[in-house]
Amino acid sequence: MHTIARTPTTDMEVTSIRLERELKEKLKEMSGNQGYQALIRDILWNYVQQKSGEWKPRFSRADIRASIAATAQQEERCVLTGQLIQSQQPMLLGLTKNGDMVPLSIESLAE
């Protein structure tokens, strides 16, 4: 996951959130050098951008190592184009350089 440039932490409001211990530990493991609070902010910003229509691509075609055909089981958004993929529509799952599987529209990898 790429870090989204945002406000310096000194200019942020302090918010308390309760997380299960296991969830917090998993976030710490996944965050690496980034820190789990920055990871949580990235996750929340990605969610807000996706749901609000302010989507911005986080990946390029060069980030995709392989793809496989799939069928969307719920509404998804292509990580390359931002195109909405409706439930039950054909799509691709792209394997990224980091080993993540991401939703891709069928047209997103066409030459």
Side-chain angles (χ1 to χ4, degrees), residues 93-109:
L93 287 174
L95 176 65
T96 69
K97 292 178 179 179
N98 295 333
D100 297 318
M101 295 296 284
V102 294
L104 300 170
S105 64
I106 298 293
E107 304 81 23
S108 65
L109 295 180

Side-chain angles (χ1 to χ4, degrees), residues 1 4 23-24 36 40 42 51 54 66 68 77 99 111:
M1 185 172 289
I4 299 172
L23 175 59
K24 184 176 174 182
Y36 79 98
I40 290 171
D42 283 352
K51 292 298 182 181
E54 298 173 6
I68 58 172
R77 191 168 296 274
E111 292 291 323

Side-chain angles (χ1 to χ4, degrees), residues 6-106:
R6 295 283 172 212
T7 308
T9 55
T10 54
D11 294 337
M12 293 181 186
E13 292 186 26
V14 175
T15 301
S16 177
I17 182 172
R18 295 188 184 277
L19 302 172
E20 292 86 350
R21 179 170 286 126
E22 182 181 359
L23 175 59
K24 184 176 174 182
E25 293 306 316
K26 294 281 186 190
L27 289 166
K28 283 182 177 182
E29 289 172 20
M30 294 173 64
S31 66
N33 295 343
Q34 175 185 12
Y36 79 98
Q37 290 181 358
L39 176 60
I40 290 171
R41 282 192 301 274
D42 283 352
I43 292 167
L44 290 172
W45 272 117
N46 288 333
Y47 179 84
V48 167
Q49 287 175 345
Q50 180 179 10
K51 292 298 182 181
S52 69
E54 298 173 6
W55 180 87
K56 295 176 180 69
R58 295 181 2 225
F59 294 94
S60 71
R61 288 180 69 188
D63 292 318
I64 307 300
R65 294 175 44 194
S67 64
I68 58 172
T71 301
Q73 297 301 308
Q74 63 186 22
E75 191 175 90
E76 300 284 355
R77 191 168 296 274
C78 175
V79 299
L80 296 179
T81 66
Q83 176 184 350
L84 198 59
I85 305 165
Q86 297 292 337
S87 177
Q88 301 308 309
Q89 277 189 330
M91 62 178 279
L92 299 171
L93 287 174
L95 176 65
T96 69
K97 292 178 179 179
N98 295 333
D100 297 318
M101 295 296 284
V102 294
L104 300 170
S105 64
I106 298 293

